[in-house]
Amino acid sequence: QKEVEQNSGPLSVPEGAIASLNCTYSDRGSQSFFWYRQYSGKSPELIMSIYSNGDKEDGRFTAQLNKASQYVSLLIRDSQPSDSATYLCAVNIGRKGSGGGADGLTFGKGTHLIIQP
Amino acid sequence: GAVVSQHPSWVICKSGTSVKIECRSLDFQATTMFWYRQFPKQSLMLMATSNEGSKATYEQGVEKDKFLINHASLTLSTLTVTSAHPEDSSFYICSARGPQTGGRGSPLHFGNGTRLTVT
């Protein structure tokens, strides 16, 4: 079972509409969840972090977390062409046997989002 | 915010040679840094955790003798790809947790990445 799953897309959304990106994770004990945006050929940049069940809003972005369903989502309101990118869901998953105390994050494959002008 | 600088941004080398990539935390100290690799249209895969003053911790399937990691100071970690081969061509990205909390719950901040092409 994959640890962090995302629909690879592409997800096409008209400009001004709401883009909805989804992610599921396998480790029920995960506590930290992040959304990163990655433009082609660039490194990821942090968009949102969420730690508690419910919604967290930051400007046009809203992250939603449901730990019971092991589900985290990102909503982008008033989508702009500049939002076109790959969105990576990242989870702090406890990794047995890998050693080290401060694990890195486990990333999904990302959802390719296209905002159509 | 936390700034992570990575150098070089791209490098082309011949098969069999070695390449060193530097990762610096510019405005904070990072006892731990993480090295990721990303192949085209693939997810970021954690290669190893770099620990200041001690040996790096490698993920399963990553050859520690091929990917040498040195974390000699609180602001610098280096990854050396030894005896590079074309299949090592990839996007290598380092990261570190920011200074505010530093714990496992805090997000990672990424360097700009290094595009390695082995011919």
Side-chain angles (χ1 to χ4, degrees):
Chain A
Q1 182 184 5
K2 294 181 180 178
E3 294 179 303
V4 180
E5 290 203 57
Q6 296 180 256
N7 188 323
S8 61
L11 174 64
S12 186
V13 174
E15 183 176 357
I18 296 175
S20 178
L21 305 162
N22 305 315
C23 171
T24 58
Y25 59 94
S26 61
D27 184 4
R28 192 170 282 279
S30 298
Q31 297 294 322
S32 309
F33 308 87
F34 308 94
W35 282 100
Y36 286 83
R37 177 176 62 198
Q38 186 177 25
Y39 292 111
S40 180
K42 304 293 184 182
S43 66
E45 55 179 320
L46 180 68
I47 298 295
M48 292 281 288
S49 58
I50 187 165
Y51 305 96
S52 305
N53 280 328
D55 295 0
K56 179 182 177 182
E57 187 174 318
D58 184 0
R60 296 187 296 111
F61 299 97
T62 299
Q64 299 174 317
L65 175 61
N66 183 325
K67 291 184 179 180
S69 300
Q70 295 174 237
Y71 174 94
V72 59
S73 65
L74 179 70
L75 301 177
I76 306 174
R77 289 182 299 281
D78 189 22
S79 298
Q80 304 296 311
S82 59
D83 295 328
S84 299
T86 296
Y87 288 80
L88 303 170
C89 173
V91 179
N92 205 172
I93 288 181
R95 201 184 304 271
K96 295 178 183 176
S98 68
D103 271 351
L105 299 177
T106 298
F107 286 82
K109 284 191 174 182
T111 297
H112 183 42
L113 175 65
I114 299 172
I115 305 300
Q116 296 178 322
Chain B
V3 178
V4 177
S5 174
Q6 191 172 338
H7 178 82
S9 56
W10 61 270
V11 59
I12 301 172
C13 71
K14 292 186 176 180
S15 186
T17 61
S18 296
V19 174
K20 179 185 283 189
I21 303 170
E22 292 187 349
C23 180
R24 295 180 185 273
S25 54
L26 294 186
D27 51 0
F28 66 102
Q29 293 181 334
T31 56
T32 303
M33 291 185 177
F34 304 91
W35 287 95
Y36 286 85
R37 178 169 56 181
Q38 187 178 36
F39 292 105
K41 299 189 186 301
Q42 298 294 314
S43 179
L44 277 80
M45 296 299 295
L46 180 64
M47 297 176 66
T49 301
S50 173
N51 305 300
E52 187 269 333
S54 64
K55 291 182 180 179
T57 305
Y58 290 82
E59 294 299 300
Q60 211 167 16
V62 178
E63 300 175 56
K64 62 180 181 181
D65 294 331
K66 180 170 182 62
F67 298 99
L68 301 179
I69 291 174
N70 184 284
H71 196 153
S73 77
L74 288 171
T75 59
L76 174 63
S77 174
T78 61
L79 168 68
T80 301
V81 183
T82 64
S83 186
H85 288 99
E87 57 263 31
D88 298 323
S89 298
S90 187
F91 191 44
Y92 293 84
I93 317 174
C94 72
S95 65
R97 288 202 163 90
Q100 277 75 24
T101 64
R104 290 184 62 164
S106 52
L108 294 179
H109 298 273
F110 288 88
N112 287 331
T114 298
R115 179 78 55 191
L116 171 63
T117 301
V118 184
T119 61

